[in-house]
C-alpha cells in the first residue's frame, strides 16, 4: 500500500479565512476513506469534512480569523498538525491511501518550521519524559536541583530554536515555538502551586517575547492570543484552577467551591491580567462540572456562570455544555439507546423496565475501568437481596472490531452483568466524555443520576445513591 505523500503550500492571500485545496491521486475507489480537517479553537474543535470530486480534487474554505491549530485527519487518524492564519492558502496533494503521512511544505519558511518541529520532538521528548519522571518521585517544595533541571530544559529549548533559525533562516512562527517550549518546561509541575511560586521567584521566562513584563511571571501577563498553543492552554487552566482554589480558602463542599469560582471572578481576572483569558479559564472548565457536581447542581452553576460571562464565544461554549447535560437531569426521562450483547441480541432501555439499571461505560485502554471491575463481585454481593430490582450492564465504547471487544472482556472486563456495546460503533451513548463513567436509571426509565458513584465508592460505608434508591423504596413498600 502506497505511503500517503502530501505537499503543503501556504501562500499569502488577502481574503478572509483559510483556503484548503488539493488533489488525491490513485485513491482506492472501493475504500471509504473519510478525510477532514479539525480546527482547534481555544474552546471548541470544529470539523470540516473534505468532499472529493470525481477527479479527486477538493477545495474547502475555513472561517479562521486568528492563528489556529489545524489537523489533517485521514480515516479518523491525525496525520499532520500545523498552525494556520487568516489569509493562508493550503495546497495539499497526495497519492495512494494510508493512515500515516509525510508532510512537505512548498513554502520554504513553513518547511523550515516543519523540520524544526521534528528536531524538537526528537531531541526534547526524551528530556521531558525524564523530567516528568523525576518530578513524579519528588514532593514540593522541590529542591534546587529539580528547579535547575526545569530551567535547563527551557534554556536548551530556546537555544535550539535560536541556533536553528541562525543556520536555516527566519521562522514565521518562532514565537509559537518559544511559548510551547516555556510551558512544556513548566508542564511537569503545573499541578503544584509551590513549585510554580518557586520558579516565579527565579524569574523563569526563558526565550519568551519581550512584551512580557520584567519581574512578573510570564503566565500572568501573556495576552489571550497565546491560547492558540496547546502547552499554554493546558498549563493555564490547571494553574488557574489551583490558584483560585487556593485564594478562595477551604470550601465546605464541592458545591460551595464552584460558587466561590463565581464569587471570586475578580480574582481570576486579576490573576490572568486579561478578561478574555480569564473568561476562557472559567468557561473551559464548564464540561468538568458534571464530574464534581450532581447534575442539577452543575446546571444551576453553569447557568449562573453564563450570565456572568461577557464574551459571546465563552457564553456559547457554556451553553453547549448546558445543552449536553440537560437531557440527563435527575428525574427526566432517560434517552433511549440501541445496544447489542456478545451474541448480537439488541437491547433498548425498555428491556430494563421495572428495574434500576446501573450502567458502567468503559474502554479498552482505561486502567481505572479495570480496577473498578474488580469491585463488581463485592458490589453484587452487597446488594444480593435486590437482584430482582437491580440490573448491571457494562457498555464498551470503542470503534474496534467485535473480536477486539470480546478479547477485552475476557482480559479486562466483568462477567458480573450484561456486556454491551453500541450497535453503531461511533454512537456516543449518553454523552460519555471520560472513562469510567457510571449511570443509574430508575425502574420508570427516568434518570436517577448521570455520573453516579463508581463500584469502589458504593462499597464504602455510609448511605449512597443505591441505598437511597433501593432501601428507601423498600421502606415505602
Amino acid at each position: 500500500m502506497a505511503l500517503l505523500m502530501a505537499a503543503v503550500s501556504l501562500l499569502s492571500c488577502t481574503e478572509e479565512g483559510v483556503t484548503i485545496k488539493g488533489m488525491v491521486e490513485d485513491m482506492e475507489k472501493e475504500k471509504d476513506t473519510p478525510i477532514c480537517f479539525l480546527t482547534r479553537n481555544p474552546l471548541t474543535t470544529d470539523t470540516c469534512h473534505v468532499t472529493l470530486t470525481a477527479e479527486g480534487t477538493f477545495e474547502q474554505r475555513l472561517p479562521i480569523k486568528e492563528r489556529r491549530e489545524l489537523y489533517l485527519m485521514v480515516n479518523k487518524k491525525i496525520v499532520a498538525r500545523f498552525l494556520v492564519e487568516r489569509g493562508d492558502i493550503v495546497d495539499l496533494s497526495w497519492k495512494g491511501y494510508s493512515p500515516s503521512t509525510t508532510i512537505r511544505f512548498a513554502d520554504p519558511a513553513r518547511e523550515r518550521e516543519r523540520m524544526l518541529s521534528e528536531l524538537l520532538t526528537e531531541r526534547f521528548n526524551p528530556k521531558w519524559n525524564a523530567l516528568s519522571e523525576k518530578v513524579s518521585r519528588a514532593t514540593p517544595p522541590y529542591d534546587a536541583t529539580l528547579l535547575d533541571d526545569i530551567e535547563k530544559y527551557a534554556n536548551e529549548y530556546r537555544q535550539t530554536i535560536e541556533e536553528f533559525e541562525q543556520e536555516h533562516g527566519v521562522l514565521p512562527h518562532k514565537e509559537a515555538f518559544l511559548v510551547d517550549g516555556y510551558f512544556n518546561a513548566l508542564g511537569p509541575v503545573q499541578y503544584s502551586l509551590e513549585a510554580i511560586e518557586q520558579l516565579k521567584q527565579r524569574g523563569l521566562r526563558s526565550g519568551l517575547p519581550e512584551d512580557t513584563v520584567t519581574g512578573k511571571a510570564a503566565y500572568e501577563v501573556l495576552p489571550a492570543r497565546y491560547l492558540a498553543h496547546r502547552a499554554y492552554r493546558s498549563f493555564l487552566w490547571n494553574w488557574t484552577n489551583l490558584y483560585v482554589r487556593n485564594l478562595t480558602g477551604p470550601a465546605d463542599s464541592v458545591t460551595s467551591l464552584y460558587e466561590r469560582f463565581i464569587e471570586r471572578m475578580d480574582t481570576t481576572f486579576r490573576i490572568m491580567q486579561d478578561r478574555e483569558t480569564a473568561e476562557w479559564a472559567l468557561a473551559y472548565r464548564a464540561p468538568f462540572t458534571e464530574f464534581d457536581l450532581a447534575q442539577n447542581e452543575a446546571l444551576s452553576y453553569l447557568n449562573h456562570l453564563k450570565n456572568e460571562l461577557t464574551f459571546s464565544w465563552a457564553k456559547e461554549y457554556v451553553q453547549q455544555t448546558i445543552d449536553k447535560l440537560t437531557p440527563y437531569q435527575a428525574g427526566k426521562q432517560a434517552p433511549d439507546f440501541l445496544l447489542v450483547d456478545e451474541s448480537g441480541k439488541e437491547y433498548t432501555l425498555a428491556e430494563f423496565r421495572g428495574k434500576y439499571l446501573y450502567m458502567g461505560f468503559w474502554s479498552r485502554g482505561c486502567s481505572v475501568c479495570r480496577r473498578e471491575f474488580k469491585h463488581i463481585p463485592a458490589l453484587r454481593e452487597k446488594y444480593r437481596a435486590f437482584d430482582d430490582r437491580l440490573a448491571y450492564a457494562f457498555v464498551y465504547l470503542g470503534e474496534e472490531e467485535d473480536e477486539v471487544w470480546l478479547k477485552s472482556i475476557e482480559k479486562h472486563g466483568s462477567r458480573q452483568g450484561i456486556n454491551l456495546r453500541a450497535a453503531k460503533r461511533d454512537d456516543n451513548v449518553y454523552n460519555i466524555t471520560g472513562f469510567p463513567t457510571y449511570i443509574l436509571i430508575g425502574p420508570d426509565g427516568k434518570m436517577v443520576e448521570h455520573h453516579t458513584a463508581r463500584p469502589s465508592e458504593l462499597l464504602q460505608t455510609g448511605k449512597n445513591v443505591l441505598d437511597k434508591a433501593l432501601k428507601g423504596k423498600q421502606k415505602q413498600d
Side-chain angles (χ1 to χ4, degrees):
M1 190 172 289
L3 179 67
L4 181 65
M5 300 297 292
V8 184
S9 175
L10 285 92
L11 310 173
S12 62
C13 177
T14 57
E15 297 181 29
E16 291 287 322
V18 173
T19 299
I20 312 289
K21 63 179 182 178
M23 172 179 285
V24 181
E25 299 178 9
D26 302 331
M27 181 67 75
E28 297 180 35
K29 301 298 182 183
E30 71 277 12
K31 285 191 176 292
D32 179 20
T33 310
I35 303 168
C36 66
F37 296 97
L38 300 184
T39 307
R40 185 64 170 85
N41 294 301
L43 285 174
T44 59
T45 300
D46 303 318
T47 304
C48 173
H49 293 279
V50 174
T51 303
L52 298 178
T53 65
E55 293 75 26
T57 62
F58 64 90
E59 183 168 339
Q60 309 285 143
R61 191 148 189 84
L62 307 180
I64 298 175
K65 297 181 179 180
E66 298 175 349
R67 183 181 301 173
R68 291 287 179 257
E69 290 174 316
L70 187 65
Y71 299 81
L72 166 63
M73 297 191 70
V74 178
N75 234 28
K76 301 182 181 180
K77 295 182 182 293
I78 296 176
V79 297
R81 178 182 76 91
F82 44 92
L83 288 172
V84 294
E85 296 177 330
R86 180 176 61 183
D88 281 343
I89 298 177
V90 183
D91 192 2
L92 300 109
S93 62
W94 64 79
K95 292 185 178 182
Y97 163 81
S98 173
S100 61
T101 184
T102 300
I103 291 290
R104 293 289 183 270
F105 288 82
D107 181 86
R110 295 298 179 99
E111 175 63 10
R112 286 196 293 273
E113 291 186 335
R114 182 198 63 78
M115 293 168 57
L116 175 59
S117 294
E118 290 185 356
L119 173 65
L120 292 171
T121 299
E122 179 182 359
R123 183 174 297 181
F124 287 92
N125 274 8
K127 294 177 183 291
W128 192 90
N129 291 335
L131 187 60
S132 297
E133 179 65 24
K134 190 171 182 179
V135 170
S136 68
R137 296 195 301 266
T139 55
Y142 298 113
D143 60 35
T145 303
L146 186 115
L147 300 179
D148 289 342
D149 288 344
I150 291 174
E151 287 192 291
K152 181 180 178 182
Y153 178 98
N155 287 326
E156 287 184 358
Y157 205 100
R158 173 191 53 76
Q159 185 176 353
T160 300
I161 295 170
E162 298 287 356
E163 292 175 350
F164 185 93
E165 185 176 49
Q166 290 175 10
E167 181 178 352
H168 297 281
V170 174
L171 301 167
H173 298 104
K174 178 181 176 181
E175 180 181 284
F177 289 101
L178 293 173
V179 170
D180 279 345
Y182 176 81
F183 287 102
N184 281 337
L186 294 180
V189 293
Q190 64 181 320
Y191 295 99
S192 171
L193 280 177
E194 294 89 343
I196 296 301
E197 288 300 325
Q198 287 176 272
L199 287 164
K200 181 195 293 187
Q201 291 172 8
R202 288 180 169 224
L204 174 64
R205 54 189 190 90
S206 177
L208 287 171
E210 290 305 317
D211 60 1
T212 55
V213 179
T214 303
K216 295 278 283 182
Y219 42 89
E220 291 186 11
V221 296
L222 287 175
R225 70 174 183 273
Y226 289 95
L227 291 175
H229 310 303
R230 291 181 301 171
Y232 177 57
R233 288 196 307 265
S234 173
F235 170 83
L236 185 61
W237 179 70
N238 285 304
W239 178 77
T240 307
N241 186 35
L242 284 168
Y243 218 120
V244 171
R245 282 176 182 261
N246 180 266
L247 291 177
T248 54
D252 297 327
S253 67
V254 175
T255 304
S256 63
L257 175 62
Y258 274 90
E259 290 170 352
R260 293 181 188 197
F261 264 95
I262 293 290
E263 293 170 2
R264 298 298 182 92
M265 286 184 78
D266 60 330
T267 300
T268 310
F269 299 151
R270 189 167 64 253
I271 293 171
M272 296 292 99
Q273 299 288 310
D274 180 279
R275 184 170 182 117
E276 183 177 2
T277 309
E279 291 203 7
W280 169 83
L282 287 163
Y284 185 73
R285 66 174 295 109
F288 298 89
T289 55
E290 63 178 315
F291 294 100
D292 295 334
L293 301 178
Q295 213 71 29
N296 292 347
E297 291 178 333
L299 287 166
S300 175
Y301 164 77
L302 291 171
N303 278 298
H304 189 180
L305 174 62
K306 187 185 75 170
N307 291 334
E308 295 292 329
L309 297 171
T310 59
F311 285 90
S312 59
W313 49 263
K315 284 178 174 287
E316 289 169 7
Y317 184 70
V318 173
Q319 184 60 53
Q320 289 172 16
T321 304
I322 291 172
D323 293 341
K324 288 179 180 179
L325 297 185
T326 299
Y328 309 108
Q329 259 184 296
K332 285 203 169 188
Q333 182 65 39
D336 202 2
F337 52 71
L338 181 61
L339 304 170
V340 295
D341 67 10
E342 298 163 83
S343 67
K345 179 184 175 180
E346 293 185 345
Y347 286 78
T348 64
L349 184 57
E351 297 286 335
F352 302 95
R353 195 80 174 181
K355 290 187 175 185
Y356 283 94
L357 174 59
Y358 184 63
M359 302 180 75
F361 294 83
W362 65 290
S363 68
R364 183 163 57 106
C366 173
S367 60
V368 180
C369 301
R370 299 196 289 270
R371 289 201 299 271
E372 289 297 330
F373 280 146
K374 294 178 181 179
H375 296 290
I376 299 296
L379 182 67
R380 293 212 59 163
E381 187 60 35
K382 179 178 179 178
Y383 294 99
R384 184 68 63 189
F386 304 97
D387 268 355
D388 61 333
R389 295 171 51 202
L390 178 60
Y392 301 84
F394 306 109
V395 184
Y396 180 86
L397 291 185
E399 299 182 15
E400 298 87 352
E401 297 299 322
D402 284 342
E403 183 180 354
V404 176
W405 169 46
L406 296 175
K407 286 182 179 178
S408 296
I409 294 173
E410 294 300 331
K411 188 174 182 180
H412 305 302
S414 173
R415 288 296 181 188
Q416 299 295 313
I418 305 172
N419 282 291
L420 302 169
R421 74 174 304 170
K424 295 180 180 179
R425 302 293 166 79
D426 58 352
D427 187 8
N428 186 358
V429 182
Y430 287 164
N431 187 37
I432 301 302
T433 55
F435 301 106
T437 294
Y438 288 84
I439 291 174
L440 184 63
I441 299 173
D444 54 1
K446 293 182 178 179
M447 189 68 65
V448 176
E449 198 167 73
H450 192 267
H451 277 86
T452 195
R454 298 176 181 178
S456 59
E457 296 168 331
L458 292 173
L459 289 172
Q460 296 173 8
T461 57
K463 201 169 186 180
N464 60 51
V465 65
L466 272 184
D467 292 329
K468 294 175 183 177
L470 296 167
K471 298 176 183 179
K473 177 66 175 176
Q474 188 180 48
K475 289 179 180 178
Q476 293 176 17
D477 295 341

